[in-house]
Amino acid sequence: MALCKGKWIFQTLLGLYKENVQLSYISTNQVLSSMYKDRQSSTQEKSELDALCSDDRPLEKKPMIPARSEVSTSFTYDPIVQKFINLLMRNGCKEKAREITEGALEQIKMRQIETYHKAKTEAEKAMVVTDPIKIFHGAVENCKPLVVQKSVTKGGTSYRIPVYCHDRRKLRLGINFIIDSCRTRRRKVPIEIVLAAEILQAYNNEGNAVGKKQQLHKECEAQRAFAHYRWK
């Protein structure tokens, strides 16, 4: 009985509401349209998105690749130094490789400052580079080979032909020349000191690392008669 009475009260109130309100029903679409009628669309046109791209590929189709874990926005971050640390690392001991690299850069800084103070004239002091990162970049640049050798088989015979070396492989080979030269040395001092000496020699276009590059160029020069096998 109570349920029927409550239903009758609800119907009575609903009838009174319909008499006072012009709409006979309430639509969700009408409510939403009235709420957002003055609101501007937050989406951009496709032409505006394409205008942000430097090439012909649409912006929404570009792959979103996250940054690597070692990439940083710090002003001290250098990608070539990070590449050197990765190639120097053995058995996953990256912290040890980082300590060796930082110690070598510190040794370079100390030696160059000592050379700077030993210089007698201002002209000699101006020739001394005290930034270890610039010296490191110059050493790697001097160790990069221009050409490498590639094995090609023709008529059952293998030939070592000279081919052009792309930039990424140049960087890798130049760094490996420096690292291998340090590891083959007989040393009684920490490897940081040996690495600093090797980098300074490579910066001056001297040392074993530069010798490895020159030896590779001589081997490629000796095999230049078979260079046309690359296209056959």
Side-chain angles (χ1 to χ4, degrees):
M1 186 68 181
L3 182 61
C4 294
K5 187 177 180 180
K7 185 177 181 181
W8 177 80
I9 294 173
F10 173 75
Q11 290 179 351
T12 304
L13 294 175
L14 183 60
L16 294 173
Y17 177 78
K18 288 181 179 179
E19 292 177 359
N20 297 324
V21 180
Q22 296 180 358
L23 295 176
S24 60
Y25 64 94
I26 298 176
S27 174
T28 306
N29 295 331
Q30 293 176 351
V31 173
L32 292 178
S33 63
S34 63
M35 290 175 60
Y36 295 102
K37 64 180 180 180
D38 298 331
R39 183 174 180 180
Q40 296 180 356
S41 178
S42 60
T43 59
Q44 292 179 324
E45 297 293 335
K46 185 176 182 300
S47 59
E48 297 179 1
L49 294 174
D50 293 341
L52 299 175
C53 301
S54 57
D55 51 5
D56 297 333
R57 297 182 60 188
L59 184 64
E60 62 271 14
K61 292 184 178 180
K62 282 197 171 183
M64 303 299 293
I65 302 176
R68 296 171 61 97
S69 59
E70 67 269 12
V71 176
S72 172
T73 57
S74 174
F75 69 94
T76 59
Y77 172 76
D78 188 84
I80 300 180
V81 175
Q82 294 298 322
K83 182 73 172 179
F84 186 88
I85 292 173
N86 292 337
L87 294 177
L88 183 64
M89 177 179 59
R90 286 293 181 270
N91 301 323
C93 299
K94 192 168 186 177
E95 188 64 30
K96 181 64 177 177
R98 187 181 291 109
E99 291 177 1
I100 293 173
T101 305
E102 291 176 355
L105 295 177
E106 184 179 354
Q107 289 290 329
I108 292 172
K109 182 75 172 179
M110 293 172 62
R111 293 188 183 189
Q112 291 300 102
I113 289 177
E114 183 179 357
T115 305
Y116 178 84
H117 289 297
K118 286 182 178 179
K120 297 180 179 179
T121 61
E122 293 295 331
E124 294 178 354
K125 290 183 178 181
M127 296 294 293
V128 178
V129 180
T130 57
D131 188 0
I133 300 298
K134 289 184 179 180
I135 295 174
F136 177 79
H137 286 181
V140 174
E141 192 67 28
N142 290 337
C143 294
K144 287 182 180 179
L146 299 177
V147 290
V148 294
Q149 287 185 326
K150 179 182 178 181
S151 180
V152 175
T153 302
K154 295 292 181 181
T157 305
S158 296
Y159 299 94
R160 300 286 292 176
I161 62 173
V163 294
Y164 175 75
C165 185
H166 55 80
D167 294 338
R168 292 184 63 183
R169 193 176 181 191
K170 282 181 184 179
L171 177 62
R172 187 181 185 90
L173 289 175
I175 293 174
N176 282 333
F177 286 159
I178 296 175
I179 294 175
D180 294 341
S181 299
C182 294
R183 285 177 175 159
T184 54
R185 277 190 177 187
R186 294 182 180 180
R187 56 185 179 87
K188 296 182 181 180
V189 294
I191 191 172
E192 292 89 346
I193 299 177
V194 179
L195 182 59
E198 189 66 37
I199 291 174
L200 285 173
Q201 287 182 350
Y203 178 73
N204 296 322
N205 226 353
E206 301 173 352
N208 295 331
V210 178
K212 289 178 181 291
K213 182 197 74 171
Q214 294 173 352
Q215 181 65 26
L216 179 59
H217 285 175
K218 289 180 181 179
E219 293 175 359
C220 293
E221 181 73 18
Q223 299 294 331
R224 66 177 180 175
F226 307 107
H228 62 282
Y229 285 160
R230 179 186 179 190
W231 296 280
K232 292 185 178 181

